[in-house]
Amino acid sequence: MKLSSLKSVVLCLLLCSGYAQANPPESTSFEIQRSSVITLQSKVLDRTYDIYVKLPYDYHLPANKTKTYPVLYLNDGPYTFKVAAGVTHLRPMDKVIVVGISFAHGENGQFSRVRDLTPVVDMSWKKYQTGGAPQYLSFIEKEVFSFIEQNYRANPRQRILTGQSLGGSFGAWVLLTRPELFSHYILTSPSLWFKQDWIFDLEQDYADNNNLLKANVYMATGALETLQQGMSQDMVGGHRKFAERLRSRQYQGLIFSEEIIEGTDHYSTFPVGLTKGLMLVYQDIQ
C-alpha cells in the first residue's frame, strides 16, 4: 500500500473514532429489577398516591411459592425507595418486600409530606399545612396494607416502618399511639423537635397509662446534626433525650437500640441507618 493511501486509511479511522465518541449510542433509562409502580386512589384521603414496590430476588422461585415475606414500608417514597432498593440489592440484604409511598398527585412534595407526616397542627408553620398524620396513617392501615397483603405474599406480623427526618418523627408518633401496627421501627434523624418537642409530652402520656410497648426499634442520628454544624435544631440532643426517656421507662416488650453515627449529617444518615437497622431486623426475624 502506498504511503499516501495508508495515511488516508489512518485519517479515516481517526475521524470515525472521533465521530463515535462524539455521538454515543442512544441510552436507555435505568430500571430497578422486580419493581413496579401502582397508583392508589385513596377513599380515606380523597387523594391519589403512587406506591412503589420491589420484590426480593427469590420471590418468584417455585420453591418459595408459599413463602411469605416481611414488608419494609417507607414514606417520602421518591427518595427513600431508591435508597432502599440499593440497600437491598445484594442477596444477603434482599429479604423484604420494599414499599415506598410517594407524595400526593398534583401536589408539591414538601407540602404533601409536611401535612401527612405531622401528627398535630402547629400554627408556627406558616408556609405549610400540618396535622394530617392521623388521616394519613388511616390510609396506610386501611388501604396500603390491604393492597399489599392482598396482592403479595406479605407477612402482616412482620411490618417494618422506616422514616427519615419528619418521617422519623412520624414513626416515633406511630410507636407511641399505634405500636401494634408494625413489628419493627427504623427511625433515622427523627425531627423530634416538631412543635416545641411535642413528642416528649406524648411519650409522658403514654408512660402514665402503659407499661407495655411491644416493638423492636432502631434509631440513628448523624453526629453532624448539631447546631454547631449548621442545623437549625439540635437533632443529636433530641435523639439522646428520647433514647434516655425510652430506656428509663423499662417498657415491657420493647427492644430498643440506637446510635449517633459518626461522620454523617442530615442528608447522609438515612442510607447508613437503614442498612444497620435492617441488619438488626434480619437478626430478629430469622
Side-chain angles (χ1 to χ4, degrees):
M1 181 181 291
K2 294 182 178 179
L3 182 59
S4 58
S5 299
L6 179 60
K7 289 181 178 179
S8 298
V9 171
V10 172
L11 179 60
C12 181
L13 290 173
L14 289 173
L15 289 173
C16 289
S17 174
Y19 179 83
Q21 292 175 4
N23 296 274
E26 286 189 21
S27 61
T28 58
S29 60
F30 181 84
E31 295 184 3
I32 297 173
Q33 291 183 331
R34 303 179 306 280
S35 69
S36 57
V37 180
I38 298 97
T39 300
L40 291 185
Q41 175 62 52
S42 172
K43 294 180 180 179
V44 171
L45 297 175
D46 193 26
R47 294 191 290 269
T48 302
Y49 290 77
D50 285 336
I51 308 297
Y52 312 137
V53 180
K54 173 184 170 290
L55 300 176
Y57 75 94
D58 63 352
Y59 185 89
H60 292 297
L61 294 180
N64 292 339
K65 62 182 180 181
T66 61
K67 179 181 177 179
T68 60
Y69 292 81
V71 183
L72 177 69
Y73 289 96
L74 307 111
N75 299 302
D76 291 326
Y79 163 59
T80 58
F81 181 79
K82 289 181 285 188
V83 174
V87 167
T88 60
H89 177 72
L90 297 178
R91 291 190 177 186
M93 295 294 291
D94 194 11
K95 301 178 182 181
V96 294
I97 298 172
V98 180
V99 175
I101 306 172
S102 187
F103 308 127
H105 278 203
E107 293 185 355
N108 173 275
Q110 185 70 355
F111 178 91
S112 180
R113 70 185 298 270
V114 169
R115 177 197 58 224
D116 290 346
L117 298 177
T118 51
V120 292
V121 174
D122 184 348
M123 298 303 294
S124 69
W125 288 60
K126 304 298 184 183
K127 189 177 178 180
Y128 300 103
Q129 178 184 348
T130 52
Q135 294 77 23
Y136 181 67
L137 182 61
S138 181
F139 158 63
I140 293 174
E141 180 182 10
K142 296 177 180 178
E143 297 178 313
V144 178
F145 285 173
S146 177
F147 178 84
I148 294 299
E149 291 167 10
Q150 288 178 15
N151 290 277
Y152 301 95
R153 297 196 309 276
N155 187 339
R157 294 180 300 279
Q158 294 180 337
R159 300 174 183 150
I160 308 155
L161 178 61
T162 299
Q164 160 74 8
S165 192
L166 281 178
S169 53
F170 172 83
W173 168 73
V174 176
L175 174 69
L176 295 171
T177 53
R178 298 291 306 281
E180 75 283 353
L181 285 183
F182 298 89
S183 60
H184 297 77
Y185 293 78
I186 300 174
L187 312 178
T188 64
S189 304
S191 298
L192 303 172
W193 48 264
F194 174 74
K195 199 174 183 180
Q196 291 78 50
D197 296 344
W198 172 85
I199 195 72
F200 293 95
D201 294 333
L202 178 66
E203 192 280 332
Q204 183 65 59
D205 290 341
Y206 187 89
D208 290 342
N209 295 283
N210 300 275
N211 58 15
L212 176 68
L213 183 56
K214 191 175 181 180
N216 191 314
V217 181
Y218 169 76
M219 183 172 68
T221 298
L224 301 180
E225 298 186 65
T226 63
L227 298 175
Q228 293 79 3
Q229 292 294 330
M231 292 292 294
S232 61
Q233 304 289 337
D234 181 9
M235 307 287 286
V236 172
H239 171 115
R240 286 177 172 152
K241 180 180 177 181
F242 194 66
E244 182 180 347
R245 279 282 193 96
L246 291 183
R247 286 202 173 98
S248 70
R249 305 300 187 189
Q250 297 184 335
Y251 288 116
Q252 297 177 25
L254 176 63
I255 300 173
F256 178 66
S257 58
E258 52 83 24
E259 64 179 308
I260 304 298
I261 301 176
E262 289 298 324
T264 64
D265 60 12
H266 196 64
Y267 306 102
S268 56
T269 296
F270 176 64
V272 181
L274 174 61
T275 303
K276 290 190 169 188
L278 273 179
M279 291 173 68
L280 292 175
V281 170
Y282 292 157
Q283 291 176 17
D284 184 55
I285 65 177
Q286 287 179 347

